[in-house]
Amino acid sequence: MEVEEQATVPDQEETKPEPPESNVSYTLEVLQIIKESQQQHGLRHGDYQRYRSYCSRRLRRIRKSLKFVYGNRNKYVSRKIKEETIMNVRFLYLPLICAERCWAYMMQLKQESNTEPRKRFHLMARLLKAVRYAEELETLSQSDKCDARSKLEAQAYCAWMKGTLYFEKEQWEECIKMFSTAQNIYEKLASTFSEDQRLLYLQRVEEITPSIRYCAYNIGDQTAIKDLVQLRLKSGGMMSSNIDSLLAQTREKQALTLSEVTWRGRLVPVKNEQVRAFLLSCEENEKQLKSSSDPESQMSIYESLLMECKDALQILRDEIKADPAVKQRAHKSDGPIPSSQYLYTYLMYIRLTKTIERNMLMVETLKENLPEAGMAVAGPTTQGSTNNKKVTKPQDLIRIYDTILQNLAEIPQLAGLEDDDNLQQEIKAKSLKFKAFRCFYLAQSYTASKKWREASALYERVLKHIETANKEFKRVKGKTKNELAELKHLTQKVNGLKYSAHALSILDSEEITEGVAQLEVTKDKRAVSERLHKYQDGPELATGKPNLVPFPPDFQPIPCKPLFFDIALNQVELPSLEDKLEQKPAAGGITGFLKGWWGGGKK
């Protein structure tokens, strides 16, 4: 809460009362106000609850500053804004921010309605209330106290809010009318302002366009879906989420016609509608990827496809747990796997292959920022960026190839593919190809560190991987021209770099030889241990008695350490302890025996 209050420092000025303005034409920049508020208070991260809370706090501040409160905490007094009431432009803020608050609450409920369908009713009630506030704003803006720009912006905002309501009600004809009205007004406003403000209106026009095309498709225009796909490719990451949701709704209707799919020679029924929609999405995305040349758009397509695949896999995973055929096969080691499990294997195969394709797209993007071959051989570049982009290190590509190899290793382990020899052979050949590329960039990293011998050995290993991969690809049934061409190109590159690394390793060894030749060679009769820093080649070292260390060692003076003796005990006189000892009487012999017998002993 403290962070949000700090972000609203500029709005705290609204709490200061201002004198009423007279004979002034008010200007209300509706679109700029709501866009700035949305970006600063949660909508940049899709947090509609935070934005709704901000609208409530701002309404309280404005009402307090205008002295237009609705009673007190004990009693509510309804007050309506009329034309004669507007003595300040901030009176027009009240219906606008109320509409934004209701709209934000509606969007929050829309996110939660995916798991709680009952919230759909509350959602529609909040949207109807937002429309009423937008209509109130439009009515107030028609006053003579507002200029032409305020009137147009209020009309466009009201039309957009009504179009959103009709869109949720699926009233497509009314929806397309409202959205078209708003789009036309924003286009006219964009043509009358400077560059910065024009971009704001044009962005709003682009946001409305996908909804208009979707409405046209639902009315009966079959070409609208193609327009949505083209908008998806052009927008990249800016509006891809909105268009994806529209395309998903379209695929739900088309999915009713897809009941089965054929893969690896087996026909599998598809019962779940969400899985059908995903398979249709996969086919359409293949066409979009071929027609698109922008890496950012392609990456966005891959990300959305993988998210849909994740959801479809979760649905199939739940169905497999409840499928009795899967439980019966768990006790048997032979026989074909059930259809539901085979469909799960098919989706896992799609997920792994699309992940590999996405990673390969990342590799191609990173390769553009790699240093040139000559720079890579000479050493790492000193510049931090090339063409305002971060320079790619070979280690970055090594990590991506590790991920690719891991994904390839998971494919043969999928259930139902153990006996598919052709697929196993294809995966084996591709693994060798990617190992060759990984080893190549590992050699590049050693080259950048000027470790020529290690780099030369790794280049040799790359050539071995290429040779083995070529043999494996020739055994694969299918088209392998692209893979063989890539390996051929890599072979040519490796041959040149291998000889360069070998030559540089020889140059380094020659420098060491020259350094050894420049060492001073003088005859020194001292022991070897005393002249380790000097090189001397003498025949006496090969004899039976080489002078390695001086023996016997010379005496060395050392400081005297004092000795301390405890002689106090010699001066102590100890007391006698004889009286403490137990004394035994001495034996008397035969005489004592006779005395005892005669009674002369002690009694």
Side-chain angles (χ1 to χ4, degrees):
M1 184 63 69
E2 295 178 358
V3 176
E4 294 178 353
E5 291 297 338
Q6 292 175 1
T8 59
V9 171
D11 298 328
Q12 291 177 357
E13 297 176 359
E14 296 166 351
T15 60
K16 300 178 182 179
E18 294 183 0
E21 302 172 0
S22 59
N23 298 326
V24 176
S25 180
Y26 303 134
T27 301
L28 183 65
E29 300 175 354
V30 176
L31 187 59
Q32 185 174 357
I33 291 171
I34 63 175
K35 281 296 183 182
E36 290 179 355
S37 301
Q38 289 173 1
Q39 291 298 314
Q40 294 176 9
H41 300 282
L43 291 203
R44 184 177 297 178
H45 307 290
D47 191 351
Y48 292 98
Q49 184 177 4
R50 178 185 169 191
Y51 181 57
R52 179 168 65 94
S53 301
Y54 160 76
C55 291
S56 299
R57 294 194 306 273
R58 190 174 183 184
L59 279 172
R60 191 181 305 115
R61 288 194 297 268
I62 296 175
R63 288 168 181 162
K64 185 177 180 181
S65 65
L66 296 174
K67 297 182 179 180
F68 196 77
V69 294
Y70 295 160
N72 51 32
R73 66 178 61 186
N74 298 323
K75 184 179 180 181
Y76 173 78
V77 178
S78 178
R79 302 181 67 180
K80 293 185 179 181
I81 304 175
K82 300 179 181 180
E83 182 178 351
E84 57 272 13
T85 310
I86 303 175
M87 305 301 295
N88 192 300
V89 69
R90 289 203 303 277
F91 278 98
L92 298 174
Y93 281 37
L94 294 176
L96 174 61
I97 299 175
C98 286
E100 283 291 293
R101 181 175 62 173
C102 295
W103 173 80
Y105 199 4
M106 182 274 297
M107 293 300 294
Q108 177 187 347
L109 293 171
K110 188 175 183 179
Q111 290 179 342
E112 298 172 356
S113 64
N114 295 329
T115 56
E116 302 178 44
R118 290 290 302 174
K119 290 189 176 182
R120 181 79 182 171
F121 300 100
H122 193 186
L123 178 156
M124 297 302 298
R126 302 309 299 183
L127 188 53
L128 282 169
K129 197 170 184 180
V131 170
R132 286 198 294 269
Y133 281 120
E135 290 175 345
E136 182 182 355
L137 175 63
E138 183 183 8
T139 302
L140 293 174
S141 65
Q142 299 303 317
S143 170
D144 296 336
K145 297 181 180 181
C146 298
D147 60 1
R149 178 181 179 181
S150 301
K151 295 177 181 178
L152 288 174
E153 290 220 25
Q155 289 177 5
Y157 181 75
C158 183
W160 175 80
M161 192 66 75
K162 289 181 179 178
T164 305
L165 175 63
Y166 292 135
F167 191 91
E168 294 297 329
K169 289 184 175 181
E170 297 184 359
Q171 297 177 4
W172 308 118
E173 294 182 358
E174 293 82 358
C175 178
I176 199 171
K177 290 178 182 178
M178 292 295 104
F179 278 141
S180 300
T181 302
Q183 190 179 46
N184 292 333
I185 294 174
Y186 285 128
E187 287 177 350
K188 292 178 180 179
L189 288 171
S191 62
T192 58
F193 289 103
S194 60
E195 185 66 25
D196 296 337
Q197 293 177 329
R198 183 187 307 167
L199 292 176
L200 182 64
Y201 293 115
L202 292 178
Q203 182 181 357
R204 188 68 160 183
V205 171
E206 292 178 357
E207 291 175 359
I208 297 174
T209 301
S211 300
I212 293 176
R213 300 308 297 156
Y214 182 74
C215 294
Y217 170 75
N218 284 280
I219 291 173
D221 187 359
Q222 298 298 326
T223 61
I225 189 65
K226 298 181 180 179
D227 296 338
L228 282 176
V229 173
Q230 294 299 324
L231 290 171
R232 174 68 172 79
L233 296 176
K234 294 179 181 179
S235 63
M238 183 175 61
M239 296 172 55
S240 58
S241 59
N242 296 331
I243 302 176
D244 284 340
S245 62
L246 298 177
L247 291 173
Q249 296 176 16
T250 306
R251 295 190 191 104
E252 288 178 0
K253 298 180 180 180
Q254 296 177 350
L256 299 175
T257 60
L258 181 65
S259 59
E260 56 189 14
V261 64
T262 304
W263 181 61
R264 312 298 296 183
R266 179 172 174 176
L267 187 65
V268 183
V270 184
K271 300 178 182 179
N272 190 277
E273 294 183 2
Q274 190 169 352
V275 178
R276 294 175 183 174
F278 165 71
L279 294 175
L280 287 173
S281 175
C282 189
E283 295 177 0
E284 294 177 3
N285 286 335
E286 288 287 344
K287 300 177 182 178
Q288 295 176 22
L289 290 170
K290 292 179 180 178
S291 60
S292 176
S293 58
D294 183 19
E296 185 179 356
S297 299
Q298 292 178 345
M299 190 64 67
S300 177
I301 293 172
Y302 277 121
E303 293 295 337
S304 60
L305 180 63
L306 291 174
M307 290 300 295
E308 293 177 11
C309 185
K310 181 181 178 182
D311 297 336
L313 284 171
Q314 183 62 40
I315 293 172
L316 283 178
R317 196 178 293 116
D318 297 337
E319 291 182 357
I320 289 174
K321 290 181 181 179
D323 191 356
V326 178
K327 297 179 181 179
Q328 292 178 2
R329 190 184 182 277
H331 303 285
K332 300 179 182 179
S333 58
D334 54 349
I337 64 174
S339 300
S340 58
Q341 192 170 0
Y342 195 76
L343 182 60
Y344 180 82
T345 299
Y346 177 45
L347 294 189
M348 280 296 299
Y349 176 80
I350 293 176
R351 180 182 180 182
L352 292 173
T353 52
K354 295 303 177 184
T355 304
I356 293 172
E357 292 177 8
R358 183 199 62 181
N359 291 334
M360 287 304 303
L361 179 62
M362 294 173 60
V363 168
E364 296 298 327
T365 305
L366 292 175
K367 280 182 181 180
E368 298 177 357
N369 300 328
L370 273 174
E372 297 295 333
M375 296 172 62
V377 172
T381 178
T382 57
Q383 297 179 354
S385 61
T386 303
N387 296 330
N388 297 326
K389 294 184 179 180
K390 185 179 179 181
V391 175
T392 303
K393 297 180 181 180
Q395 292 85 344
D396 301 334
L397 298 173
I398 293 172
R399 286 190 288 268
I400 298 177
Y401 278 112
D402 285 335
T403 306
I404 292 174
L405 289 171
Q406 184 179 359
N407 292 330
L408 278 176
E410 294 178 8
I411 293 177
Q413 300 176 3
L414 296 176
L417 301 181
E418 300 87 353
D419 300 331
D420 196 336
D421 297 334
N422 191 24
L423 180 62
Q424 300 284 344
Q425 183 66 34
E426 182 181 354
I427 297 300
K428 183 179 180 181
K430 288 184 177 181
S431 299
L432 288 171
K433 183 189 78 169
F434 290 124
K435 283 182 180 179
F437 278 99
R438 180 188 178 279
C439 191
F440 170 73
Y441 288 108
L442 185 60
Q444 290 286 82
S445 65
Y446 276 101
T447 300
S449 303
K450 296 185 179 181
K451 297 181 180 180
W452 313 118
R453 294 183 179 179
E454 292 84 351
S456 181
L458 286 170
Y459 286 135
E460 289 288 346
R461 178 65 63 86
V462 173
L463 293 176
K464 291 182 180 178
H465 282 313
I466 293 174
E467 182 181 359
T468 310
N470 284 326
K471 294 179 181 178
E472 296 296 333
F473 272 117
K474 291 179 181 178
R475 300 176 183 175
V476 176
K477 297 179 181 179
K479 297 180 180 180
T480 58
K481 293 182 179 180
N482 296 332
E483 286 79 2
L484 293 175
E486 291 178 6
L487 293 175
K488 183 178 180 181
H489 179 68
L490 181 61
T491 303
Q492 297 174 355
K493 186 184 295 186
V494 169
N495 284 329
L497 294 175
K498 179 186 69 171
Y499 295 130
S500 299
H502 183 63
L504 289 170
S505 65
I506 295 174
L507 291 176
D508 279 358
S509 63
E510 289 181 354
E511 292 176 1
I512 296 173
T513 305
E514 292 176 359
V516 173
Q518 294 176 0
L519 292 175
E520 295 181 0
V521 181
T522 57
K523 292 185 178 182
D524 195 344
K525 296 182 179 180
R526 292 181 299 170
V528 175
S529 61
E530 297 178 354
R531 51 183 176 85
L532 293 176
H533 61 285
K534 291 185 178 181
Y535 174 77
Q536 181 177 345
D537 188 11
E540 64 275 4
L541 296 177
T543 59
K545 296 180 179 180
N547 187 13
L548 301 178
V549 293
F551 187 81
D554 298 334
F555 290 98
Q556 296 180 359
I558 60 174
C560 181
K561 296 181 179 180
L563 300 178
F564 299 92
F565 301 93
D566 190 2
I567 59 177
L569 188 62
N570 297 337
Q571 305 298 326
V572 176
E573 294 182 1
L574 300 176
S576 177
L577 301 175
E578 293 181 357
D579 57 337
K580 302 292 184 182
L581 298 176
E582 182 182 357
Q583 296 180 359
K584 295 182 180 181
I590 190 64
T591 306
F593 175 76
L594 294 174
K595 288 182 179 181
W597 185 57
W598 285 334
K602 296 181 180 181
K603 295 183 181 178

